[in-house]
């Protein structure tokens, strides 16, 4: 979480307040303590390698969210629910 806060703070256009936004909450029962991906098999069998490192992908994600504030606001208002109902409600 600290890495995410540092990346946000490094951006020229960022929220006015980034400190104090992290809130620790009790863990969910059955929640995994750690997530890890072992891509050695796909690398060995198919020659696949990720295009992004964790850090570069996280940085791109931060930049996308900062550049798309209107999308974030529409999610916060619940506007997307109307779109889902309109497009998928009859299924």
């Amino acid at each position: 979480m600290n890495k995410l806060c540092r990346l946000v703070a490094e951006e020229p256009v960022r929220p006015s307040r980034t400190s104090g936004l992290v809130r620790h909450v009790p863990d969910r029962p059955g929640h995994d303590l750690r997530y890890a991906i072992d891509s050695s098999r796909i690398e060995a069998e198919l020659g696949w390698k990720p295009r992004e490192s964790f850090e570069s992908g996280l940085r791109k994600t931060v930049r996308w969210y900062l550049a798309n504030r209107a999308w974030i606001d529409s999610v916060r208002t619940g506007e997307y629910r109307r779109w889902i109902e309109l497009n998928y409600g009859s299924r």
Side-chain angles (χ1 to χ4, degrees):
M1 195 55 70
N2 291 333
K3 183 180 290 261
L4 181 58
C5 290
R6 279 195 304 274
L7 288 173
V8 170
E10 290 173 7
E11 291 301 312
V13 178
R14 64 182 178 273
S16 58
R17 181 177 70 91
T18 56
S19 64
L21 294 177
V22 176
R23 228 177 347 135
H24 294 279
V25 298
D27 208 359
R28 299 184 318 266
H31 185 215
D32 293 336
L33 298 177
R34 179 176 172 274
Y35 296 101
I37 295 174
D38 178 2
S39 60
S40 60
R41 183 174 176 193
I42 196 168
E43 288 177 19
E45 292 182 17
L46 300 178
W48 179 88
K49 292 206 183 290
R51 292 182 189 157
E52 301 289 339
S53 67
F54 176 77
E55 176 124 2
S56 68
L58 190 58
R59 183 178 301 278
K60 284 182 177 182
T61 300
V62 165
R63 287 180 177 162
W64 187 92
Y65 276 94
L66 292 174
N68 291 279
R69 305 286 275 192
W71 181 86
I72 294 169
D73 292 341
S74 73
V75 170
R76 285 184 173 153
T77 65
E79 183 181 327
Y80 72 95
R81 290 184 182 131
R82 287 191 296 278
W83 184 90
I84 290 172
E85 184 60 34
L86 179 68
N87 289 281
Y88 295 100
S90 62
R91 292 183 184 187

